[in-house]
Amino acid sequence: MSSPAPSPESQRLPLPLPPARLVQVLGERPSPVVGWLANRVMDAVCALPASWKDGLARFVGWLAFTLGIRLRVALENLTHAWPDMSDAERRRIALGAYVTMARVVLESIDKKDHVDTHWEIPEVKGEAWEALQANIAKGQGALLVTAHFGNWERAGKMLLRRGIPLNALVRPLKGALNMRIVDNRIGAGAGLIYPKGAIAEAQEAVKLGETVLMLLDQSLPAKAAVFVPFFGRPASTTPAMAVVAQRSGAPVFVVMGIRDESGQKLRLEVEGPITVPEGLGEQDAITAHTAAVTAVLEKYVRRYPDQWLWLHRRWKVQPPSPEAPAAPQG
């Protein structure tokens, strides 16, 4: 009798160790007393049954929505994205976004989240996923792009559990909650790349056959950004992904952690490789590549609008106006 085929769970690789060169934690930890007390509270929350934790997340999201915390920003963003949508539908999507963000926080502080994976839909399908796996199997690095969508922290853990060596581009954080999330990233096996020297670090990582995960949906100051369409409006966006892709030749994939209808389980979807446009000058190619990847992110936000961070002022920075022509010399 032939033995049954192994399940996706049994095929997963052990959690990796992060690269030793990328385990430094930058940020501001709280005082020992505050940190100890805050972590005991978070431990208690994480010990609740999954259904209770999700109920707490839904309550916290509803409360923030009801109190109007950044609600005006969310509704303004939704109005620009869907001008013909009813106000009731916009408010429904906004409430869903608040609940999504509350879920992300409560899920991301759980130290066992990358070990106990009852929340995970194990199958990952598609040619893009197979292409990414093949790339890694050949010892070649890749660039991965995602957004503040679904649960981006868990999406990274799903990649790590499937044998994708992952380094995340992050910012230094502060406070007990944020530092716990950072520690959990390292505990899951992710290396950390900080903004200072990020392009050089990312190039080194892909050269070593690792992947670099970047979030590409936050506003930057105009001088540091390229402007690409997002819901029909120019959005300031980091060019780091496109610069590293151009210099290293590493392929670019979009990876999204998408919640199911219950909101409590996550599946991984992958698209790509999204190639650098040909026949353009260096700067135009960087902008066009960033726009192509951003268009894929927009597609997912349109498909699952309540899973994206509408509370962020995505379009607060506008392209600089052209300089006025110099006055004629008399």
Side-chain angles (χ1 to χ4, degrees), residues 123-125 128-129 145 155 158-159 254-258 267-271 299-300 303-304:
E123 295 82 11
V124 185
K125 301 177 181 178
W129 172 241
V145 173
M158 293 173 79
L159 290 165
V254 169
V255 295
M256 304 295 277
I258 302 169
R267 74 176 186 275
L268 194 67
E269 291 193 12
V270 182
E271 292 204 18
K299 179 180 72 173
Y300 280 93
R303 193 176 295 168
Y304 308 99

Side-chain angles (χ1 to χ4, degrees), residues 101 104 144-153 155 213-218 230 254-257 293-294 296-298 300-301 307-309 314:
M101 292 306 110
V104 170
L144 309 179
V145 173
T146 191
H148 291 87
F149 176 97
N151 187 328
W152 55 95
E153 298 284 343
L213 179 65
M214 303 182 186
L215 291 125
L216 217 69
D217 63 337
Q218 285 199 303
F230 187 61
V254 169
V255 295
M256 304 295 277
V293 174
T294 299
V296 178
L297 299 181
E298 180 182 326
Y300 280 93
V301 176
Q307 296 196 35
W308 188 61
L309 186 65
R314 182 68 184 92

Side-chain angles (χ1 to χ4, degrees), residues 206-220:
V206 297
K207 184 178 179 180
L208 293 172
E210 301 165 1
T211 65
V212 178
L213 179 65
M214 303 182 186
L215 291 125
L216 217 69
D217 63 337
Q218 285 199 303
S219 180
L220 287 184

Side-chain angles (χ1 to χ4, degrees), residues 122-141:
E123 295 82 11
V124 185
K125 301 177 181 178
E127 294 181 0
W129 172 241
E130 294 172 0
L132 174 57
Q133 286 183 305
N135 202 75
I136 297 302
K138 292 185 290 186
Q140 298 173 356

Side-chain angles (χ1 to χ4, degrees), residues 87-169:
D87 184 62
E89 180 65 9
R90 292 192 198 105
R91 294 180 71 85
R92 183 196 68 79
I93 293 172
L95 174 58
Y98 280 85
V99 172
T100 291
M101 292 306 110
R103 281 172 166 153
V104 170
V105 172
L106 291 184
E107 292 161 355
S108 299
I109 62 174
D110 192 340
K111 292 183 177 180
K112 296 182 179 179
D113 188 61
H114 46 278
V115 179
D116 176 13
T117 55
H118 65 275
W119 48 267
E120 182 178 6
I121 298 175
E123 295 82 11
V124 185
K125 301 177 181 178
E127 294 181 0
W129 172 241
E130 294 172 0
L132 174 57
Q133 286 183 305
N135 202 75
I136 297 302
K138 292 185 290 186
Q140 298 173 356
L143 296 170
L144 309 179
V145 173
T146 191
H148 291 87
F149 176 97
N151 187 328
W152 55 95
E153 298 284 343
R154 279 183 165 179
K157 293 170 184 176
M158 293 173 79
L159 290 165
L160 285 158
R161 286 176 58 79
R162 286 161 173 77
I164 306 297
L166 181 69
N167 305 307
L169 182 59

